[in-house]
Amino acid sequence: MGYKLNKVCSRPGITPVMSMASTWLRDKENIDITFIHMAKSASKTIYFDQLESMDAANDNFDFKLLLKDNSGTRHPQGRLDKEWLNTLCPDIAERTVYLCGPTQFMQDMESNALALGVAPEQFHQESFTPIEAHSENEFGGVVQFEVPAFGVATEVAQGSTLADVLEENGVPIIIACRSGMCGSCKCKVTKGEVSRTSTETLSEEDIANGYTLACSSQAQTDVEVELV
């Protein structure tokens, strides 16, 4: 049996889980994804064409779209609640669930998923809460941070999050979430050491080759970073 995932998102929360789904379909074997999304209409659905193409091209990717107005589409019409969640993914209790969206939506879906038998340890949600910033005194020193390709060479507090430093120095890195779930901020540490709070979208080979997630990695020594 493959690794079974269930992704649930509303319109504002689709970017992180879309990135996760694309990465996992490319990099992971024996994976089975049910992608549940709620939107006003097909024309208001971000990534609609891409999701339809992914559904058609991959037997292990099942796109479930619930619309407030389903005119002219093959997708059902309704409001995502416990009954619809069970209808769209009858085996949800057997899956690992990744959820993203507005706060109230996530609270409702968490209650519904747990009520349908999802184990708490198999339930994950994107809160869009940045990792708390730390002062220099908390870590006892400063380290050198460099991104040679962009001419960045600066001193930062030990423990600084890579994403924060990259953004502050104008490096054009894409950060779609702040919890290490989507993988859009993947970069490579070519020198030095970082600590990680998430490796969710990284393979063992990625980690061995120095790749990390900027949003959930902290500089522990002098480091040099390369965008990928």
Side-chain angles (χ1 to χ4, degrees):
M1 179 180 293
Y3 185 35
K4 302 178 77 173
L5 297 172
N6 191 53
K7 298 180 182 297
V8 183
C9 59
S10 70
R11 187 170 181 269
I14 193 171
T15 300
V17 290
M18 179 65 174
S19 179
M20 292 165 63
S22 300
T23 298
W24 286 343
L25 281 175
R26 183 189 68 225
D27 296 343
K28 291 184 179 290
E29 297 181 358
N30 299 322
I31 194 167
D32 179 71
I33 300 174
T34 296
F35 193 107
I36 300 174
H37 183 54
M38 183 180 70
K40 291 182 179 180
S41 64
S43 64
K44 297 291 185 181
T45 302
I46 303 173
Y47 301 121
F48 179 78
D49 290 338
Q50 293 95 315
L51 286 164
E52 291 274 62
S53 296
M54 288 165 67
D55 184 65
N58 298 278
D59 292 337
N60 57 340
F61 182 84
D62 192 8
F63 177 39
K64 300 290 188 179
L65 178 61
L66 186 63
L67 300 170
K68 292 183 179 180
D69 178 6
N70 68 342
S71 302
T73 77
R74 65 181 179 88
H75 301 285
Q77 180 171 302
R79 181 180 180 276
L80 192 57
D81 53 17
K82 186 174 74 172
E83 286 69 30
W84 265 114
L85 193 58
N86 187 52
T87 298
L88 297 173
C89 188
D91 64 346
I92 189 170
E94 302 172 18
R95 293 179 175 266
T96 300
V97 176
Y98 291 86
L99 171 69
C100 193
T103 300
Q104 187 59 55
F105 172 83
M106 291 197 297
Q107 291 174 351
D108 292 343
M109 289 304 105
E110 179 179 12
S111 297
N112 293 337
L114 296 180
L116 290 171
V118 175
E121 63 272 17
Q122 297 300 318
F123 183 90
H124 310 275
Q125 59 184 319
E126 171 57 85
S127 64
F128 292 103
T129 302
I131 296 173
E132 183 179 353
H134 300 282
S135 69
E136 177 180 327
N137 290 335
E138 286 181 276
F139 294 94
V142 296
V143 297
Q144 186 75 9
F145 189 97
E146 298 183 16
V147 191
F150 293 89
V152 173
T154 185
E155 289 187 339
V156 300
Q158 183 184 15
S160 295
T161 300
L162 303 191
D164 293 340
V165 180
L166 291 167
E167 288 183 324
E168 289 168 4
N169 286 276
V171 178
I173 188 168
I174 298 172
I175 303 173
C177 79
R178 289 279 179 175
S179 299
M181 289 175 58
C182 78
S184 64
C185 64
K186 179 180 174 181
C187 60
K188 186 174 185 178
V189 177
T190 54
K191 293 181 182 178
E193 297 181 3
V194 299
S195 59
R196 301 178 175 91
T197 56
S198 174
T199 57
E200 186 68 45
T201 61
L202 300 176
S203 67
E204 291 182 5
E205 183 179 1
D206 283 337
I207 296 171
N209 288 329
Y211 292 100
T212 196
L213 302 175
C215 76
S216 51
S217 298
Q218 296 76 42
Q220 299 302 328
T221 66
D222 293 347
V223 295
E224 186 175 294
V225 175
E226 176 183 297
L227 297 195
V228 295

